[in-house]
Amino acid sequence: MNALVISGGGSKGAFAGGIGQYLLNHCCRKYDIFVGTSAGSLLAPMLAAGQLERLKKVYTSIRHRDIFSTSPFIIQKRGNVCITRINHFNTLKMFLKGKKTFGETKKLRKLIRKTFTRDDYNYLRDSDKQVVVTVSNLSCNSVEYKSIHEWEYEDFCDWMWISTNIVPFMSLVKKDGFEYADGGFGNFLPVHPAIELGASSVDAIVLRPQNKMVKSLPSRNAFNVLLKSFDFMLNQIASDDILIGLLEGQNRKVEVNCYYTPRILTENSFIFDPDEISSWWEEGYEYAQKVLPKCFQAG
């Protein structure tokens, strides 16, 4: 069986969409298993359902206001550079309401339901395809993998949403008595569950460069330090998860093909600029053309 695995990456998920478009449409790859983390959890179900054009339309037009019901950020664009700083008013409002995070993403939950429809869900439930999203159970300090065949529609939409929430900037979700957050905290590149489901070949889209050695700009404020610290932590998790996935594939004699971004797309994947995101989708498609030059149409 063949599996498509997509890592976390926030707005960089558009690059994975471009690669997915090339693999599915041009190469006519047939996947039995789709597994995603964070941004990958938004992409995987839509790709599995064959709704690539709808996915592209929504993902490449999404804005910050479509995700956050309460945003902890103020984003200002100066030329081609986006400057991020803390939204003190919204953060104080969350504190006074007794909330546990700086921001909330209830709008994203509504957008998921609007984009991934009940018809898409029913199609996948009636198919033999395995679609799995990754979440982090903070109450139990464990990683959980949620299969579409084990949950009703609204529950699975919840898991897709939960998988994208990087706390403390986004919603901390309590479900079934447990607190859940972004799947990337536990498994940035979920190759392991794909292999456990029986994959003999895995195409893994990794939304970071294979080698990252770039000096970032000096921190401007405490909020910027916090963002950079999270980026550092998630990059270390990503490095470990990629290595574990490759080693497990080698040990199980499973072919694992990794497709990395050829450069650092952004230092802040919380920023959703439709023009930039659209260009990343096209860049992902063109990148796939370069790394798979002999890809041919299946009969």
Side-chain angles (χ1 to χ4, degrees):
M1 291 194 291
N2 300 321
L4 179 64
V5 174
I6 306 175
S7 78
S11 58
K12 295 179 290 185
F15 190 90
I19 295 178
Q21 179 181 3
Y22 187 82
L23 290 170
L24 292 167
N25 285 1
H26 182 78
C27 298
C28 293
R29 293 280 177 88
K30 304 296 182 184
Y31 296 107
D32 311 286
I33 301 165
F34 294 78
V35 187
T37 284
S38 198
S41 292
L42 302 179
L43 295 163
M46 294 296 292
L47 293 174
Q51 297 299 333
L52 200 148
E53 288 305 317
R54 192 197 313 154
L55 172 65
K56 182 178 181 180
K57 181 179 179 181
V58 173
Y59 212 103
T60 57
S61 62
I62 196 168
R63 296 178 181 273
H64 195 72
R65 61 174 177 264
D66 299 321
I67 296 172
F68 286 91
S69 47
T70 302
S71 174
F73 310 117
I74 293 175
I75 300 173
Q76 296 176 325
K77 195 167 184 178
R78 299 175 185 174
N80 294 324
V81 179
C82 288
I83 306 298
T84 307
R85 56 190 178 90
I86 190 169
N87 188 323
H88 292 92
F89 176 78
N90 280 354
T91 302
L92 178 61
K93 183 170 68 174
M94 292 288 288
F95 175 75
L96 293 175
K97 286 182 176 181
K99 301 292 184 177
K100 298 177 182 179
T101 57
F102 301 141
E104 287 187 314
T105 58
K106 293 179 180 178
K107 285 187 176 181
L108 177 59
R109 175 61 176 83
K110 292 179 181 178
L111 182 61
I112 289 170
R113 195 180 191 282
K114 182 179 178 181
T115 306
F116 181 70
T117 67
R118 191 175 291 273
D119 286 341
D120 298 326
Y121 168 84
N122 289 333
Y123 165 76
L124 291 172
R125 281 291 295 254
D126 292 337
S127 75
D128 294 328
K129 296 178 181 177
Q130 292 284 349
V131 181
V132 176
V133 300
T134 310
V135 296
S136 297
N137 185 327
L138 300 187
S139 299
C140 297
N141 289 323
S142 63
V143 186
E144 297 177 7
Y145 303 102
K146 306 298 183 180
S147 169
I148 197 169
H149 291 289
E150 298 173 354
W151 298 92
E152 296 301 318
Y153 173 67
E154 293 293 345
D155 289 316
F156 192 72
C157 287
D158 278 345
W159 295 126
M160 289 172 64
W161 172 49
I162 288 167
S163 184
T164 68
N165 280 298
I166 297 180
V167 293
F169 308 109
M170 305 171 83
S171 295
L172 176 69
V173 183
K174 190 169 185 178
K175 188 172 178 66
D176 300 333
F178 300 101
E179 291 182 331
Y180 287 96
D182 191 286
F185 287 130
N187 196 340
F188 176 80
L189 187 69
V191 171
H192 170 74
I195 293 175
E196 288 295 307
L197 286 169
S200 56
S201 175
V202 177
D203 285 334
I205 303 176
V206 188
L207 292 171
R208 66 190 294 271
Q210 189 168 7
N211 299 301
K212 181 182 178 182
M213 289 293 292
V214 176
K215 183 178 180 180
S216 61
L217 296 173
S219 301
R220 295 181 299 274
N221 50 51
F223 195 61
N224 189 233
V225 171
L226 182 59
L227 283 172
K228 289 176 71 173
S229 298
F230 259 76
D231 184 60
F232 176 82
M233 178 191 70
L234 292 174
N235 269 293
Q236 297 310 305
I237 293 172
S239 297
D240 292 343
D241 289 340
I242 292 166
L243 179 59
I244 291 169
L246 292 173
L247 288 174
E248 184 167 8
Q250 186 178 15
N251 291 336
R252 300 274 195 101
K253 293 182 171 54
V254 174
E255 180 184 3
V256 180
N257 305 303
C258 288
Y259 303 96
Y260 299 87
T261 63
R263 62 184 182 88
I264 296 175
L265 299 177
T266 178
E267 290 289 349
N268 190 343
S269 58
F270 288 108
I271 296 174
F272 288 81
D273 182 323
D275 293 335
E276 194 170 51
I277 293 173
S278 294
S279 70
W280 291 342
W281 188 291
E282 298 307 320
E283 186 178 348
Y285 186 88
E286 293 168 2
Y287 171 75
Q289 284 181 310
K290 292 177 182 178
V291 299
L292 293 167
K294 295 182 180 179
C295 180
F296 58 90
Q297 296 281 352

